[in-house]
Amino acid sequence: MPPLSGKTWRLYADITLQVVKSLAYYVIATIGIGLVFGVGMLGGYFAAIVDHTPVPTQQKMTQTLGDVDSTTTLYYANNVMLGNIKSDLMRDKVPLADISPYLKQAIVATEDEDFYHHDGVVPKSVLRAVISALTGVGSQTGGSTLTQQVVKLQFLSSETTFKRKVVEIMYALRLNHFFSKDQILEAYLNIATLGRNNKGQNIAGVQTAAEGIFGKSAKQLNLAEAAYIAGLPQSPSVYTPYTITGALKADDQVALGIGRQKNGAVSDVRAGMITNKQYQAAKKFDIKKKIFSRNPRPRTPPRAIMSTPWSKAKPKPSWRKSWPKMTATAKRRSKKNTSLANQYLEQAKTMLSTKGYKVHSTINKPIYDTMQQVAKANAGSLGYTYRTTQIDAKTGRRTTISEPVQNGSLLLDNNSGAVIGFIGGVSGQLNHVYTTRSPGSSIKPLLVYGPAVENKLIGSQTMLADFANDFGNYRVTDYGTTLQNKFVPATTALAQSYNVPAVELYNALRKKTNPKTYMEKMGLTTLTDHDYSQLGIALGGTDYGLTVEDEAAAYATFWRGGTYVAPYVIDKIVDPMATSSINTRPPRRRSSARPRLTSCSK
């Protein structure tokens, strides 16, 4: 084959160049169309979120912005206030005028240099954050301004979803419209979380940080101290100088916060807020010598659980399932991931103590108070008070310990499953409504007689034997080690709680069906396979037992004709920023002329 001429080479080169250019145009066009399509979808999603998000009024935003100590309020039924959930976050509010100008400058320089020039958000930073979130490339900080951080801390949750970010941007623009920059800065300085103080307590707000770290007010902070506190919001748990006990961390860990302080001073210089001379003086300042030494946390008396035991009832599952800021995706993930579930739970606890929610219970206060009065008046007649003696380890003296019989009682609305009232106990800190105990003979109708009637093993007048029977290696008698030594009707055996007929009936029942299925349909899921394998379960012998609430709900299933409704004590949770509340109760059933309350007691 003869060699190609120069003209032919040029022709091939032109063709190749045209192909490459065409491919390049095609790729660019495809990318462009994809970007336009993606931006359109993103814009549509953004618009949909905004359209379906309730817009807070200026009045609501003013209330929430100023309510720094917005702990959750607990209510009885019918909007009767019970009290507030005490927060473990220490925080003192101060006006902007009582905060060192160095600290205000340092916060703006380190957190948001353009704070006084933007409208609450920086579009370039938002776009960078979106691209980073979509591609996984670049910083994952989110590009939040001080205004957005105020929104996140005071109005929303710390949930990292695109939807929350969109709402955050919308709120930030609205916040910037309604409030001055100084108002927003003051809010941030009073709500920012700043690690721990010298007592090991969690702290928020610069006044609490100044007092807990340097032993002075926020107004008295010098440049170096202000820069140190300004560096804490980036990672409070890392940069805080104290451990949970209030002890100073190791030198290398304290050095992290000091290093962050020097970087903060550098930011001030770069922003033109301080002179180089001031910067050099701040660098030489020995911040570690000014940090408080350990000051042990004062002992807080244990909270009397039985004074408000409904708040300890079963709130965690309810809040985890229906917490206002919890997305469906988060709920699905938390079911599969225990650590993630715990993370959401901790987040919920933080929100409860800082977001100002209103938690409405189903407890009727007059009924609840009456039940407590009756329990107190009859405490001496519930049973024998056991007394034991033991040697005091400190004094060496013999002391007498009295242990009165406790009582756990619960009143349940059969129609809805709402807990109307209860008795947590006679004395002590333990709520006996929600502790597992052997159900004793109260299990007989649920486990034995109900399923036996359902399976047509007995009728109400079926004669049951009450004679001695050792059941192999298991011997049982009636109360007081007596036996009737005769056949008795099933109704009599149940009413008198005879043991032998119950055991014989359970023995026959489990040969025909699995009693476990009936118990689980009534919500009794804590019994083990070992429990069901033992004849003693017919008399209430179990590995772990049942709670009073468990049994009350199970008995209410009889009243409903076999339909189980889970009991609940949290009726609704009201978000102070929302236009509606979150109901945690199951769907209500129509009421009936029949009695609608079930009472169970142990």
Side-chain angles (χ1 to χ4, degrees):
M1 181 177 179
L4 299 176
S5 65
K7 184 176 181 180
T8 304
W9 277 112
R10 285 195 298 275
L11 179 61
Y12 284 170
D14 288 342
I15 294 172
T16 303
L17 182 61
Q18 290 296 327
V19 170
V20 171
K21 288 173 65 177
S22 298
L23 287 173
Y25 291 148
Y26 178 78
V27 170
I28 292 172
T30 301
I31 293 174
I33 293 171
L35 284 174
V36 171
F37 184 69
V39 170
M41 286 186 63
L42 202 62
Y45 182 55
F46 186 100
I49 293 174
V50 172
D51 186 55
H52 290 85
T53 300
V55 179
T57 63
Q58 182 178 1
Q59 182 180 0
K60 278 194 173 184
M61 295 194 89
T62 301
Q63 179 182 347
T64 303
L65 190 67
D67 194 2
V68 171
D69 298 317
S70 52
T71 58
T72 287
T73 306
L74 306 176
Y75 292 86
Y76 289 104
N78 304 317
N79 208 37
V80 178
M81 184 175 175
L82 168 63
N84 295 320
I85 292 180
K86 186 177 179 180
S87 172
D88 64 349
L89 190 69
M90 307 300 295
R91 177 162 49 194
D92 296 307
K93 183 179 179 181
V94 290
L96 195 64
D98 289 341
I99 298 175
S100 165
Y102 292 126
L103 183 53
K104 290 182 278 190
Q105 293 170 1
I107 285 289
V108 171
T110 56
E111 295 293 311
D112 187 1
E113 286 183 3
D114 296 323
F115 173 67
Y116 288 102
H117 306 292
H118 59 63
D119 294 325
V121 297
V122 178
K124 181 174 62 176
S125 298
V126 172
L127 182 61
R128 184 172 64 248
V130 171
I131 294 174
S132 175
L134 293 176
T135 63
V137 177
S139 172
Q140 298 288 329
T141 58
S144 292
T145 63
L146 270 178
T147 311
Q148 288 174 261
Q149 292 183 56
V150 169
V151 169
K152 183 170 66 175
L153 289 168
Q154 197 72 349
F155 294 87
L156 304 176
S157 71
S158 57
E159 181 186 12
T160 55
T161 64
F162 186 75
K163 179 180 178 181
R164 191 207 58 78
K165 195 69 179 179
V166 171
V167 177
E168 176 189 301
I169 292 170
M170 185 183 75
Y171 275 35
L173 292 170
R174 197 165 179 81
L175 196 68
N176 192 78
H177 174 73
F178 286 138
F179 302 94
S180 69
K181 291 292 184 179
D182 281 351
Q183 286 176 304
I184 295 171
L185 179 60
E186 178 181 307
Y188 179 82
L189 291 171
N190 279 303
I191 63 179
T193 52
L194 300 170
R196 298 184 182 278
N197 62 12
N198 65 323
K199 296 179 182 179
Q201 297 164 317
N202 293 315
I203 57 175
V206 295
Q207 176 68 14
T208 312
E211 291 177 344
I213 298 175
F214 299 112
K216 57 175 65 174
S217 71
K219 193 172 186 177
Q220 298 172 320
L221 295 172
N222 62 31
L223 174 59
E225 293 164 340
Y228 185 87
I229 291 178
L232 295 173
Q234 284 291 320
S235 185
S237 62
V238 173
Y239 296 134
T240 185
Y242 302 109
T243 67
I244 193 172
T245 65
L248 278 174
K249 291 181 177 179
D251 289 346
D252 58 334
Q253 292 177 309
V254 174
L256 294 174
I258 295 175
R260 176 66 188 163
Q261 169 229 7
K262 297 186 185 303
N263 289 335
V266 170
S267 297
D268 283 351
V269 173
R270 188 176 67 245
M273 294 180 176
I274 61 173
T275 65
N276 188 62
K277 183 178 180 180
Q278 288 175 306
Y279 168 64
Q280 294 300 331
K283 275 185 66 177
K284 294 177 182 179
F285 186 82
D286 191 347
I287 198 79
K288 188 176 179 181
K289 284 187 177 179
K290 298 298 181 178
I291 295 175
F292 262 11
S293 60
R294 179 180 178 183
N295 189 354
R297 187 189 309 188
R299 183 179 181 275
T300 302
R303 181 182 179 189
I305 293 176
M306 288 195 301
S307 64
T308 56
W310 64 267
S311 66
K312 299 290 184 180
K314 283 192 177 179
K316 293 177 182 177
S318 298
W319 290 333
R320 190 182 302 165
K321 291 178 182 177
S322 57
W323 194 252
K325 307 303 180 185
M326 181 75 76
T327 65
T329 302
K331 286 190 287 185
R332 286 195 300 271
R333 290 176 179 172
S334 65
K335 286 181 179 180
K336 299 178 181 179
N337 188 323
T338 303
S339 62
L340 187 61
N342 291 333
Q343 177 184 332
Y344 281 126
L345 190 54
E346 288 304 314
Q347 177 183 318
K349 289 178 181 177
T350 301
M351 291 170 67
L352 270 177
S353 61
T354 60
K355 296 299 183 181
Y357 288 99
K358 299 183 186 302
V359 180
H360 293 260
S361 81
T362 60
I363 305 299
N364 183 294
K365 188 177 188 302
I367 292 177
Y368 172 79
D369 290 342
T370 301
M371 292 178 73
Q372 311 316 305
Q373 294 167 8
V374 171
K376 185 176 181 180
N378 294 277
S381 61
L382 293 175
Y384 181 76
T385 298
Y386 292 88
R387 291 179 173 82
T388 58
T389 59
Q390 63 182 30
I391 303 298
D392 190 300
K394 293 183 178 180
T395 65
R397 295 179 180 178
R398 186 178 295 275
T399 58
T400 300
I401 307 297
S402 297
E403 297 182 26
V405 171
Q406 296 292 341
N407 175 268
S409 300
L410 183 136
L411 187 64
L412 196 67
D413 185 317
N414 287 341
N415 285 315
S416 65
V419 177
I420 305 300
F422 63 91
I423 299 168
V426 175
S427 63
Q429 301 297 311
L430 190 63
N431 182 356
H432 292 272
V433 170
Y434 296 103
T435 56
T436 55
R437 292 288 187 273
S438 168
S441 291
S442 64
I443 203 173
K444 291 175 182 176
L446 305 171
L447 175 70
V448 181
Y449 288 91
V453 171
E454 178 76 13
N455 283 274
K456 298 181 172 55
L457 287 179
I458 62 171
S460 61
Q461 295 304 308
T462 299
M463 302 302 288
L464 301 178
D466 191 14
F467 298 96
N469 190 335
D470 62 7
F471 299 101
N473 295 322
Y474 181 65
R475 294 186 178 184
V476 61
T477 63
D478 293 336
Y479 179 76
T481 68
T482 63
L483 288 172
Q484 304 307 307
N485 289 315
K486 62 180 180 180
F487 286 93
V488 294
T491 50
T492 301
L494 176 58
Q496 298 300 320
S497 192
Y498 293 148
N499 291 336
V500 175
V503 174
E504 286 193 337
L505 193 53
Y506 178 72
N507 193 33
L509 178 66
R510 65 180 185 172
K511 292 177 182 177
K512 185 174 183 179
T513 186
N514 185 359
K516 179 180 180 180
T517 60
Y518 292 92
M519 298 293 277
E520 290 184 340
K521 287 178 180 178
M522 290 185 283
L524 303 175
T525 60
T526 59
L527 299 177
T528 66
D529 289 337
H530 177 262
D531 289 335
Y532 289 110
S533 70
Q534 304 296 309
L535 290 174
I537 193 176
L539 308 181
T542 62
D543 289 336
Y544 304 106
L546 302 171
T547 68
V548 175
E549 185 185 66
D550 289 336
E551 288 201 85
Y555 273 101
T557 304
F558 285 155
W559 183 89
R560 297 189 200 93
T563 302
Y564 172 78
V565 173
Y568 67 98
V569 73
I570 305 298
D571 185 56
K572 62 181 178 181
I573 301 173
V574 180
D575 185 338
M577 287 300 296
T579 56
S580 61
S581 62
I582 303 297
N583 290 326
T584 64
R585 60 181 181 269
R588 292 188 181 275
R589 298 174 177 274
R590 289 188 301 172
S591 61
S592 168
R594 293 178 290 172
R596 65 183 184 92
L597 300 178
T598 291
S599 178
C600 190
S601 179
K602 275 189 188 176

